[in-house]
Structures are given as C-alpha cells and as structure tokens.
Amino acid sequence: MSKTAMGASQKDFESAVNQMKLLKKDPGNEVKLKLYAHYKQATEGPCNTPKPGVFDLINKAKWDAWNALGNLPKETARQNYVDLVSGLSSSSDSSSQVKPEADRKQAGYETLVMTSEDGITKIMLNRPTKMNALTTQMYQEIMLALEAASKDDSTITVLTGNGSYFSSGNDLTNFVISPDELEERARRGAILLRDFVGCFIDFPKPLVAVVNGPAVGISVTILRLFDLVYASDRATFHTPFSHLGQTPEACSSYTFPSLMGPAKAAEMLIFGKKLTAAEACARGLVTEVFPDSTFQKEVWTRLKAYSKLPRNALRISKQMIRNHEKEKLHAINAEESRILQERWQSDECMNAIMNFLSRKAKL
Ligand SMILES: CCCCCCCCCCC/C=C/C(=O)SCCNC(=O)CCNC(=O)[C@H](O)C(C)(C)COP(=O)(O)OP(=O)(O)OC[C@H]1O[C@@H](n2cnc3c(N)ncnc32)[C@H](O)[C@@H]1OP(=O)(O)O
C-alpha cells in the first residue's frame, strides 16, 4: 500500500521536520504559514490558544492559519506536512535539472518569465495561482528585467500576466511582519516603491501593457506610464486604496486627474470604483479593448508589425512625448512613496490587511 493511502508514519513526520531545518531556500511566508499550521495540528490537534491581538501581525497570521484547519485529523495534518516538505525538497532538487526549451525561464528570474523574439521583449508575471500578486522579490525582478530590456536589441518591451489575472497588485503578505519591524520595513518598502515606479518613468523604449485579465492596485496605476495599453474585454481596473487604508501610488495622484479629470479620478482613487475595460478605455487609461477570445492573437499580430518599424525613431519619439513631465513625475513619485510609508504604519491599514489575510473581506 502506498504511503499516502496509509498516512505518513511518525518517523516520516519527524524526518520531514528535520528536512525543513536543512532547506536552503526560504519557501516564502505563505508556505511557511501552511507548514506551521499543519505542524501544530499534527502535534497538538485543533487550535487551542487565544487569538492574538490585531497588531500582533505574525502571531495572528499563524493563529489564523492553524485555526483555519478546524478539526482536521492529526494523521491528515501529518501527511499534509510530509507532502508539503517533500514538494519543497523536490522543487529545490530539480532546480539543477535542464528544463524543456519551451518552459525554460531566462536565468535569474523566479517570479517572471522573460523572453525575446521578433524584436519584442516580453516580461510575464508568473504567479498565476496568486493572481500575480507582487511580492517584494517580484518588484526587484521586474526592475532587473526592465533594466535588461532597456539595453537589449529589441524594439518594444511588453509586460503581461500569466493565467487569468494581469495582477492583483501588491502581495498583501508583504505586510506579514512583527510590530517591532514595521517602521523599518515601511521605510524600505517606500524606497522599493519609489525605485520601482522610477524604472517605469525612465524606461527609454516603447513600453506596452498586455492586460490579459483583471488588474488591481499598483498594476492599474502604473498603466499611465506605459505607451500602449491593450486590454482583454475580461479585464477590470480596480484601485481599492481607501478600503486598504492606503493612498495612490505610481504617480496616479497626478496622472489620473490629468488623464480623466479630477471627478472621474476621485471615483477610482478615493472611492475604489472598479472599471470595466470599456470604461477604462473611455477614460483614456486603455488604448484599445479586444474580445478575450481573440485577444492574444490580435495583440501579438499588431505588436509584431509595430516591432518592424525603425527602432531608433520609435525610441526618440517616445522620449519626446515623455520627457516633458519626467522631472515632475519623479517628484510626485517620491512624495506618494513618503505618504505611503506613513500609511503602512497606520491602524487603518493594518486592520484592512489583517481582514484580507484572515479572509473576512474580499475586495
Ligand atoms: C511594511 C510594508 C512593506 C510593503 C512593501 C510594498 C512595496 C510596494 C507597495 C505598492 C503599493 C501597492 C498597493 C496595491 O497594489 S493595493 C492592492 C492590493 N491588492 C488587493 O487588495 C487584492 C487582494 N486580493 C483580492 O481581493 C482577491 O484575491 C482577488 C479579488 C484579487 C481574487 O479573488 P478570487 O476569489 O478570485 O481569488 P482568491 O482570493 O482565492 O486568490 C487566489 C489566491 O491568490 C492569493 N492572492 C490574490 N491576490 C493577492 C494579494 N494581492 N496578496 C496576497 N495574496 C493574494 C489569495 O490569497 C489566494 O491564495 P490562497 O489560494 O493561498 O488562499
């Protein structure tokens, strides 16, 4: 009989616990929470400790993960733990294996797939099971990818998402930190945000967003810094900043009012109205909307034709259009990042994040 059918033995479990201690690569907060919850369930049974206070972020997230397992039997939790660890070990073992050409990622990127073909460099966000939510690692990798794309011999650079979403915006687990770390992490977060947006402001070549599905938060506000925005008619555009106790970023406090007028910008940025692709197009945020059934075909045919245009002319024209407001955009970016640094330390923001993480609220 297989191990799974019998359930993992206590020995398997102990060996998985030891294996975890030897794991070289950090598996990330979400996996660590799952491991913690299954370990506690396997060793102590259903959650039996008082719920930590709302500002005790780490312990609250751990408690929520354990509590979510309800009455899961100890044996099942033990098996799940062993399976989780075995998945982690095999994925780190296989990192040295050669993958088939079709799914080989350009070296150095774990959260993106970067490819160059037909004069187009494509940067694809690649966390489809998390709706391409942006972790701090992902912000860093996007900056590296943009830097590489700005120097390669392609004509056009494209950002798109793998799976059903373009991106669900900032990964809210970026906020799973202990209260004594909050001030320093907010300071570093503001620098990361400023540098990330700065790369888009300064990007020298035509930059195209292929919005394959819904976009949330910073994946919406950043769009005004692209030269073309093509959207599937399945895409939606949602900036729920107030719901999260946060404020606009990516220069949207300036670019959105100048694009669509202050009243329409307020509807999105202050009140969190979600737009359809057609509405976003009518407001000038999207260049063109395509039926989802033909989206990829139509967009890539169009982009391949554009990529054959004279490279330097495209580049110089882009810079002529963008250079007028570059300095202003950098100043606005710095100010928005400073304000967010304060917001991230507010009760309003912390409560909203905890609500999401404990699955009480879906935006
Ligand atoms: C101290 C601070 C340091 C911070 C440093 C950051 C620096 C830069 C900050 C830039 C500022 C940016 C702001 C924003 O982008 S605000 C917008 C944030 N995004 C959201 O609020 C969206 C939250 N997600 C949702 O509401 C829903 O998930 C969504 C509507 C997108 C989809 O719902 P659906 O029911 O279809 O799917 P699930 O919710 O089940 O999602 C599937 C799994 O994906 C996970 N997920 C999705 N989005 C996020 C996210 N943004 N953050 C974290 N995780 C996300 C979800 O949890 C599911 O995971 P599991 O299967 O493991 O449960």
Side-chain angles (χ1 to χ4, degrees), residues 2 25 51 75 114 118 151 156 164 173 180 182 188 217 219 225 251 272 302 316-317 339 346 352:
S2 76
K25 204 172 136 203
K51 187 173 182 169
E75 297 68 33
M114 192 171 170
D118 296 328
K151 293 185 182 140
I156 291 176
S164 60
T173 67
D180 54 331
L182 183 58
R188 282 196 271 140
S219 74
L225 303 177
C251 304
R302 179 90 57 93
I316 294 166
S317 297
I339 292 171
S346 71

Side-chain angles (χ1 to χ4, degrees), residues 8-10 13-14 17 34-47 66 69-82:
S9 67
Q10 181 61 25
F13 179 66
E14 281 162 15
V17 173
K34 269 190 196 148
L35 284 164
Y36 168 82
H38 284 92
Y39 177 86
K40 294 293 274 184
Q41 191 87 6
T43 52
E44 295 179 36
C47 184
W66 183 13
L69 296 183
N71 287 322
L72 187 79
K74 278 186 169 182
E75 297 68 33
T76 315
R78 199 160 66 182
Q79 178 67 57
N80 290 353
Y81 184 94
V82 170

Side-chain angles (χ1 to χ4, degrees), residues 144-345:
L144 287 174
L146 286 174
E147 168 79 8
S150 73
K151 293 185 182 140
D152 70 16
D153 59 3
S154 65
T155 306
I156 291 176
T157 304
V158 172
L159 183 74
T160 191
N162 186 12
S164 60
Y165 261 65
F166 177 57
S167 166
S168 62
N170 189 37
D171 190 309
L172 298 177
T173 67
N174 287 336
F175 292 92
V176 180
I177 42 183
S178 66
D180 54 331
E181 277 182 314
L182 183 58
E183 192 177 344
E184 173 57 14
R185 291 286 287 273
R187 192 187 66 78
R188 282 196 271 140
I191 294 172
L192 177 65
L193 173 62
R194 191 199 59 203
D195 291 350
F196 176 76
V197 174
C199 287
F200 286 84
I201 298 173
D202 288 334
F203 195 72
K205 294 178 180 179
L207 187 59
V208 181
V210 171
V211 185
N212 53 298
V216 186
I218 192 167
S219 74
V220 175
T221 50
I222 202 81
L223 292 176
R224 171 57 177 71
L225 303 177
F226 284 72
D227 303 298
L228 289 173
V229 179
Y230 291 147
S232 149
D233 61 5
R234 213 173 45 75
T236 51
F237 298 82
H238 191 197
T239 46
F241 300 128
S242 303
H243 299 69
L244 293 166
Q246 297 186 35
T247 46
E249 80 287 276
C251 304
S252 59
S253 62
Y254 163 72
T255 57
F256 277 35
S258 73
L259 185 67
M260 55 187 85
K264 293 288 186 192
E267 209 179 17
M268 288 187 80
L269 297 178
I270 306 180
F271 299 105
K273 179 176 173 171
K274 191 196 282 188
L275 301 191
T276 62
E279 286 167 335
C281 194
R283 291 184 184 194
L285 186 61
V286 164
T287 312
E288 194 169 336
V289 181
F290 299 81
D292 193 57
S293 54
T294 54
F295 179 61
Q296 297 290 344
K297 188 163 179 277
E298 288 196 61
V299 161
W300 291 106
T301 306
R302 179 90 57 93
L303 292 176
K304 275 178 196 166
Y306 284 169
S307 71
K308 295 192 173 61
L309 292 168
R311 199 156 68 110
N312 290 334
L314 292 185
R315 193 182 169 109
I316 294 166
S317 297
K318 179 215 165 113
Q319 291 179 10
M320 286 168 70
I321 295 171
R322 295 277 166 182
N323 277 352
H324 304 291
E325 57 174 8
K326 239 184 181 180
E327 218 173 295
K328 179 159 195 165
L329 291 180
H330 279 299
I332 290 161
N333 179 28
E335 180 65 358
E336 287 178 345
S337 304
R338 187 192 64 73
I339 292 171
L340 267 173
Q341 178 178 347
E342 288 171 12
R343 284 277 88 215
W344 289 330
Q345 297 176 71

